Amino acid sequence: IGSGSQRIRKDVINLDIYPYDNVDIVGNIYLLPFSDNEVDAIIGDQILEHFDNISKALQEMYRVLKMGGLIYIACPFVAAYHSSPNDYYRFTKSGLEAIMAQQGFAKLKSGIRQGPTSAFLSVLNGWLALILSFGSGKLYQLLLLLFMAFTFPLKFLDYLICKYRTA
């Protein structure tokens, strides 16, 4: 769900609100085009922050998921504003676990995917691009890509510091 143009595997159905390349079904999260208990698994990578009604989106995912089906959800805790088309929320690990439990999902595993360096760089890169683009959307996107490429190696610090409980 919210696949964009990314294809994970050939046997995974991509659903998005936009008809990007590799999108199999153009659809709305609040009215998924599947029957009850039809889907084996759902992948929602960096999507929940884009829904104005998270409960309704999760209820719809729960509706279409088969009994015993799996759901993978990843959400940002710290990230620069990124509308696509909108950007509403950020999540703590315990907050996301609580939201998922309220919707009836049982937790199998939960963890942190990116560390504090990645979070810091997300905000820093966005800030630098904003300041240096002087309001130009195209220049902002270009600078953001350049800063992301330049600072990417610093993200490897997360492998060292993510071992700390406070990270």
Side-chain angles (χ1 to χ4, degrees), residues 45-165:
D45 192 0
Q46 310 297 324
I47 60 164
L48 281 189
E49 69 271 18
H50 299 289
F51 302 133
D52 62 341
N53 190 334
I54 294 170
S55 293
K56 187 174 180 181
L58 288 172
Q59 287 169 5
E60 188 65 357
M61 288 185 235
Y62 191 86
R63 179 188 69 78
V64 302
L65 194 63
K66 288 180 182 177
M67 292 293 272
L70 298 174
I71 185 167
Y72 171 86
I73 297 288
C75 299
F77 171 59
V78 176
Y81 178 80
H82 57 286
S83 61
S84 184
N86 298 300
D87 188 2
Y88 296 102
Y89 301 102
R90 298 294 178 266
F91 302 85
T92 62
K93 180 176 175 266
S94 55
L96 181 60
E97 289 173 355
I99 290 168
M100 298 299 288
Q102 289 166 3
Q103 298 305 318
F105 293 101
K107 180 178 82 169
L108 297 178
K109 186 176 178 183
S110 180
I112 305 298
R113 190 170 86 176
Q114 294 177 316
T117 308
S118 297
F120 170 72
L121 291 175
S122 171
V123 174
L124 176 66
N125 292 337
W127 181 81
L128 288 170
L130 175 68
I131 296 300
L132 298 174
S133 66
F134 303 104
S136 167
K138 289 183 180 184
L139 183 56
Y140 172 84
Q141 291 297 326
L142 176 64
L143 289 171
L144 184 60
L145 287 173
L146 288 172
F147 289 132
M148 287 170 57
F150 180 72
T151 61
F152 180 81
L154 293 173
K155 291 183 176 195
F156 289 105
L157 290 171
D158 281 342
Y159 287 111
L160 300 173
I161 61 178
C162 274
K163 296 174 185 169
Y164 304 134
R165 186 185 63 79

Side-chain angles (χ1 to χ4, degrees), residues 2-7 13-27:
S3 65
S5 61
Q6 177 184 356
R7 176 148 320 268
I13 297 169
N14 281 358
L15 182 137
D16 202 290
I17 61 170
Y18 299 117
Y20 296 118
D21 289 343
N22 287 319
V23 169
D24 303 305
I25 299 172
V26 176

